[in-house]
Amino acid sequence: MYSILETLVEEVQRLHYLLPGIADHVTSAEELRAHQQIAEAIGAGKADAAAQFMLDHLNEAARTLINGFSGT
């Protein structure tokens, strides 16, 4: 898990250089809440909930990146 998270952090850092406008989103309360929901569901052994939270989070991340690259 550490290796996966380390890679993700590196990717987010690269995105900050490419899309500085998304920096506020990455540290937003909404983003932190999404990570907390995922971690809590995993910790509670609720695989289905964790998977749904992760899917929701990935969809939001995709929207953020699309908006960032399109300049909106």
Side-chain angles (χ1 to χ4, degrees):
M1 187 164 186
Y2 177 82
S3 178
I4 291 169
L5 290 174
E6 183 178 41
T7 301
L8 287 171
V9 167
E10 290 170 358
E11 289 300 320
V12 169
Q13 289 171 336
R14 278 191 274 282
L15 283 171
H16 281 231
Y17 290 110
L18 292 172
L19 303 168
I22 69 166
D24 289 341
H25 177 76
V26 172
T27 58
S28 69
E30 176 186 357
E31 189 76 357
L32 296 174
R33 190 171 33 261
H35 288 129
Q36 184 177 9
Q37 287 177 319
I38 295 163
E40 287 177 357
I42 291 170
K46 297 179 179 179
D48 290 341
Q52 186 59 55
F53 289 139
M54 190 68 216
L55 181 60
D56 293 344
H57 176 59
L58 290 172
N59 286 331
E60 175 60 27
R63 281 191 294 277
T64 299
L65 290 174
I66 289 168
N67 290 341
F69 279 115
S70 69
T72 59

